Amino acid sequence: DGAEVPACIQLGKQVKPLREWIEARERERTHFVILGDFNRRFDVVPETTGPQRDQLGRQLGFWRELAEGNKGGIVRLTAGHEQLRSCWGGDPKLPANERAMFIDHIVADHALAQRVVPGSVRQLALHGGKITRGVRAELRELSGHCPLWVRIR
């Protein structure tokens, strides 16, 4: 219908300042890590192919727009990893393969990404993955996401 969710509008506005911040760190030759809720599954269309923005200027390909043109390169440390099923189970309206994809990501400069301990990207399933209706209600007040971490040498 052409409507855009307010969170998507906000995310689209963050591309330029985030790219500028990354470029400043590259000029300083400073390693960096960016982590958080990007609200995007970076391994599906339109993130993987097509235009970065539509004809109205709405942001479609956040990751490609962010990563394109960075001299040193940025790397998604969460690429290729799947969300734990015990971590909320994802949005039931999505296909199962997309439900398993992270919307939270850990991104680092290329040089720092080379120092990641192989196999160390992890997601912590809160309450040992035993999410009852009561526990779900309590945790939703804390966060709708399970924490991610990675070890870097």
Side-chain angles (χ1 to χ4, degrees):
D1 67 356
E4 194 170 16
V5 177
C8 295
I9 294 169
Q10 185 64 32
L11 185 67
K13 291 177 181 177
Q14 293 172 349
V15 174
K16 186 177 186 283
L18 190 52
R19 275 188 70 167
E20 290 170 353
W21 184 88
I22 290 168
E23 290 165 2
R25 301 300 74 77
E26 289 175 338
R27 283 191 302 275
E28 297 167 353
R29 299 181 193 272
T30 302
H31 294 299
F32 61 87
V33 174
I34 303 166
L35 53 131
D37 178 0
F38 287 81
N39 253 349
R40 286 286 194 278
R41 289 167 182 82
F42 289 150
D43 296 317
V44 297
V45 173
E47 286 292 339
T48 56
T49 59
Q52 295 171 353
R53 302 259 172 174
D54 69 9
Q55 64 272 22
L56 299 175
R58 293 178 296 198
Q59 196 274 323
L60 301 172
F62 180 86
W63 173 250
R64 286 180 297 119
E65 190 170 344
L66 182 64
E68 192 173 88
N70 288 101
K71 292 179 286 182
I74 57 176
V75 178
R76 281 186 306 120
L77 304 181
T78 48
H81 296 275
E82 289 192 352
Q83 177 171 275
L84 295 172
R85 293 199 186 283
S86 56
C87 188
W88 307 119
D91 184 341
K93 295 181 294 259
L94 292 173
N97 66 320
E98 287 187 35
R99 241 179 288 157
M101 294 177 188
F102 290 128
I103 61 171
D104 301 309
H105 298 280
I106 303 173
V107 175
D109 68 90
H110 183 73
L112 191 59
Q114 300 300 310
R115 297 174 37 199
V116 169
V117 174
S120 71
V121 174
R122 295 278 187 258
Q123 184 176 41
L124 175 65
L126 303 173
H127 280 264
K130 294 173 179 60
I131 308 292
T132 64
R133 188 171 294 177
V135 167
R136 184 179 298 267
E138 288 176 24
L139 292 177
R140 285 272 183 219
E141 294 200 20
L142 172 65
S143 173
H145 304 259
C146 289
L148 295 173
W149 77 88
V150 63
R151 292 183 57 208
I152 298 174
R153 289 184 242 112

